[in-house]
Amino acid sequence: HIARFTGQCGDLPGALHLFRSLLSDRERVLGADHPDTLETRADIATWTGECGDAKEALRLFKMLWPDQERVLGPDHPGTLSTRSNMAYRTGECGDANEALRLFTALCSDQERVLGLDHPDMLATRSNIAYWTGKEGNNQEALRLFKMLLPDQERILGPDHPDTRITR
């Protein structure tokens, strides 16, 4: 919690340092395949990206994903979250087309596992719309955002930050 809140209070490098320190302890005490250890690896990848190194974050998520699939399973929320992060960092690294492909594949799995009204599903739909626009298809991006907005208002509420961003 200290590492997470350190980052949320604005000290991103401090959070990353604390998570890296925590990882060695978790590996030693719990083992490399323990779900908490895998979660810490995801945190390290996340905060690496938050510190501005999208390429390294993507590399870390790509290394984490097979371990999560093996230990947690492909439908575990943590595994799905890693796929989302890989898609986002892929786009951030300059490949909007691949980001869109990854988010589209993730969307069908999230729908099956989480259902249409899950907040992660809404976030994925938002990312599909966003990367569709980044790929240059502005008309389709607009259509997708217009379809998403009523669902966000219904599920998240009209004043939720994600709803406001879509609007």
Side-chain angles (χ1 to χ4, degrees):
H1 292 299
I2 291 171
R4 185 173 307 347
F5 283 106
T6 295
Q8 290 177 352
C9 286
D11 184 1
L12 308 181
L16 181 55
H17 172 76
L18 290 169
F19 276 118
R20 285 179 176 154
S21 295
L22 177 61
L23 179 61
S24 62
D25 292 338
R26 284 202 162 160
E27 287 175 335
R28 180 177 47 79
V29 174
L30 303 174
D33 286 343
H34 191 279
D36 291 346
T37 305
L38 296 174
E39 182 180 348
T40 300
R41 288 177 57 198
D43 289 328
I44 290 169
T46 297
W47 288 103
T48 298
E50 292 301 309
C51 285
D53 193 346
K55 186 175 180 179
E56 178 63 7
L58 178 58
R59 186 186 75 76
L60 292 171
F61 280 121
K62 284 182 174 180
M63 288 177 53
L64 172 62
W65 183 35
D67 293 336
Q68 285 179 315
E69 281 200 324
R70 179 177 48 78
V71 174
L72 305 173
D75 293 341
H76 187 275
T79 307
L80 295 173
S81 178
T82 292
R83 288 178 58 197
S84 177
N85 281 299
M86 287 190 320
Y88 182 79
R89 297 299 177 192
T90 295
E92 207 176 30
C93 287
D95 193 346
N97 187 22
E98 180 65 4
L100 180 57
R101 186 191 72 72
L102 292 170
F103 273 119
T104 301
L106 174 62
C107 187
S108 63
D109 290 338
Q110 283 180 325
E111 181 180 345
R112 177 179 50 78
V113 175
L114 304 174
L116 288 172
D117 290 346
H118 193 280
D120 289 352
M121 180 69 182
L122 296 176
T124 297
R125 288 176 55 202
S126 178
N127 276 301
I128 289 171
Y130 176 81
W131 290 108
T132 296
K134 283 298 224 181
E135 195 178 43
N137 192 343
N138 295 329
Q139 287 294 109
E140 180 64 6
L142 178 60
R143 185 187 75 76
L144 292 170
F145 276 123
K146 284 182 175 181
M147 287 177 53
L148 173 62
L149 183 59
D151 293 335
Q152 285 179 317
E153 289 174 335
R154 177 177 54 83
I155 296 162
L156 303 175
D159 295 326
H160 189 279
D162 291 350
T163 306
R164 288 181 173 192
I165 288 170
T166 297
R167 192 174 305 114

